[in-house]
Amino acid sequence: MSEHDDEGQNDYYSARKVQEHELPARLVEQFLAAYNAHDVDTMLMHVHPDVKWLSVDGDSVTLETAGASALGEAMREYFASVPSTRSIAHALLEAGRYVSLHERAHWEGKECPVSQSALAVYEVEDGKILRVWYYPSQR
């Protein structure tokens, strides 16, 4: 649950009177819903044309994809290779234009169901996801 799901929205967003679809946490929730539907076109509607997907591991950060088209291609390939993948958000926190997400992904493995959890941080600019930092997953 994000902090603005309560009746009293935080003062920053109430003062700006932004539309619900502009709230960074809502945008990330919509992106995750499109992911779970394997709807790459809708996922891409929520990202900036120059989106960057980065993997963080210790002291290193690796650029996985740069640009919406590269992200779309990577997601289509991933969904084709793991058609049962879904993800559940267990915690979502918003701090200005940054949204942190603790998620648990699950899918059908060759012999049994598999799941893992991970942390991600999304940066939103002008109502679109600009960067995603994805941290190592834990089983």
Side-chain angles (χ1 to χ4, degrees), residues 1-131:
M1 177 187 286
S2 61
E3 69 185 76
H4 50 68
D5 286 340
D6 297 329
E7 278 187 22
Q9 293 198 347
N10 87 26
D11 293 335
Y12 174 75
Y13 290 111
S14 296
R16 289 183 57 219
K17 298 194 184 307
V18 296
Q19 296 298 314
E20 187 172 286
H21 70 277
E22 293 176 306
L23 297 171
R26 292 266 191 242
L27 182 67
V28 171
E29 290 169 342
Q30 292 167 350
F31 182 81
L32 186 60
Y35 172 92
N36 283 331
H38 296 196
D39 185 347
V40 175
D41 292 333
T42 299
M43 290 174 69
L44 295 179
M45 287 174 41
H46 297 302
V47 302
H48 190 280
D50 298 324
V51 64
K52 290 182 175 55
W53 194 278
L54 305 125
S55 292
V56 179
D57 191 6
D59 291 337
S60 70
V61 177
T62 304
L63 179 63
E64 299 293 338
T65 64
S69 61
L71 178 61
E73 182 179 327
M75 289 290 97
R76 285 184 180 91
E77 289 174 8
Y78 180 68
F79 292 146
S81 68
V82 189
S84 61
T85 188
R86 300 290 183 275
S87 189
I88 299 168
H90 288 289
L92 191 132
L93 299 171
E94 186 175 316
R97 65 189 213 185
Y98 295 94
V99 178
S100 67
L101 172 69
H102 171 227
E103 67 174 335
R104 177 155 294 280
H106 55 93
W107 63 93
E108 291 298 320
K110 291 184 181 190
E111 297 178 14
C112 64
V114 180
S115 73
Q116 63 187 29
S117 66
L119 297 174
V121 176
Y122 292 76
E123 180 182 6
V124 174
E125 184 175 283
D126 297 327
K128 300 286 184 181
I129 297 168
L130 179 61
R131 289 183 193 87

